[in-house]
Amino acid sequence: MVGRERDGEVAGGRGAHLSVAGLRARGWTVGMVRRLLGEPDLVVDHPSFRAVRTRLYRVERVEVVERSEEFRTLAATAARRSAVARAAALRRRREVLARIAAVPIDVPRLDPRRLAALAGVDGSEERGAAARLQVDHLWHHLWRYDALLSGSRGRVGRRAAESLLARRVLAAIAEAYPHLAQECARRLSASGRAVGASPPSGGRQRNWGAVGPRGPNDR
């Protein structure tokens, strides 16, 4: 019987084994596992997903390989490649953020009554609801700025880019339409992640971090 996995290591009646996740934590790559270890010593059902099979490798065999010169050479190469990849990702993130920070945000300037009509405000809404409708309408007309997000990768990098872009857009809307500044400020200070209003022309839905077109309590 195989025991529960802890930090990638599994103990059981057949001795301690390491999963692929446990090997990766020790500096292995998938390619290194295939090249240096070959077939697993044990294959078991995943404890939570029966359709998934977990490959396990005896700790004793792993430790023998890790003392070899070939492993040390491959591990050093993998570490260098990983460092280069992280540096490239950081550089892309900085480039995207710099591009978002530098580009002018061109908000269409409309007569307030015209804007209200285009946004579907008919006068029956409370003031806060009317402001939300107008900000959403302007937001839709600024979708072209989504192209600035290209190049952002990873959850953290994408979230930072979306947040900066949303803040710049809302600041530009507040400057162009002072009567909507309170609604923009409310969104800027909102917590959590707010999904944007449905895009025009059947486009994809945008999620611009905590300051999207609608706040979490707007529905």
Side-chain angles (χ1 to χ4, degrees):
M1 174 179 274
V2 177
R4 180 171 296 179
E5 181 175 348
R6 180 179 180 182
D7 296 329
E9 184 171 341
V10 180
R14 302 184 187 181
H17 291 74
L18 286 164
S19 66
V20 174
L23 290 169
R24 290 178 67 88
R26 295 166 69 108
W28 290 73
T29 66
V30 174
M32 290 168 62
V33 173
R34 287 196 299 263
R35 177 171 174 174
L36 301 179
L37 294 177
E39 293 300 316
D41 298 300
L42 189 63
V43 179
V44 298
D45 291 330
H46 191 281
S48 302
F49 305 99
R50 290 301 179 90
V52 177
R53 304 280 283 172
T54 301
R55 294 170 294 160
L56 300 175
Y57 302 82
R58 285 191 302 109
V59 172
E60 293 86 349
R61 187 159 73 94
V62 170
E63 291 176 342
V64 169
V65 174
E66 288 179 342
R67 289 193 290 268
S68 69
E69 184 62 32
E70 185 177 13
F71 173 83
R72 287 193 289 268
T73 300
L74 292 174
T77 300
R80 286 194 297 270
R81 289 175 178 172
S82 179
V84 169
R86 287 195 299 270
L90 181 59
R91 183 177 65 254
R92 286 195 302 269
R93 177 183 177 181
R94 288 172 175 169
E95 290 172 351
V96 170
L97 293 178
R99 187 164 65 242
I100 293 173
V103 70
I105 304 296
D106 184 20
V107 178
R109 306 279 178 145
L110 304 172
D111 178 83
R113 288 173 295 183
R114 174 62 174 164
L115 172 60
L118 290 173
V121 176
D122 59 15
S124 63
E125 305 86 358
E126 61 178 21
R127 182 176 179 182
R132 288 194 291 273
L133 287 172
Q134 292 175 79
V135 172
D136 282 347
H137 178 80
L138 292 167
W139 196 284
H140 284 320
H141 285 271
L142 299 173
W143 276 75
R144 63 186 181 276
Y145 292 105
D146 269 2
L148 294 171
L149 298 173
S150 62
S152 59
R153 297 289 186 273
R155 181 178 302 176
V156 176
R158 181 78 179 187
R159 185 176 299 175
E162 290 174 344
S163 178
L164 176 59
L165 181 55
R167 291 175 186 280
R168 290 216 58 214
V169 167
L170 288 173
I173 291 175
E175 181 180 0
Y177 297 93
H179 69 289
L180 301 177
Q182 184 175 354
E183 169 62 14
C184 292
R186 184 191 67 79
R187 299 187 189 200
L188 284 169
S189 62
S191 61
R193 294 178 63 82
V195 177
S198 299
S201 304
R204 69 176 179 83
Q205 193 175 50
R206 169 173 51 192
N207 188 330
W208 272 6
V211 289
R214 292 185 186 274
N217 300 317
D218 289 343
R219 294 182 180 180

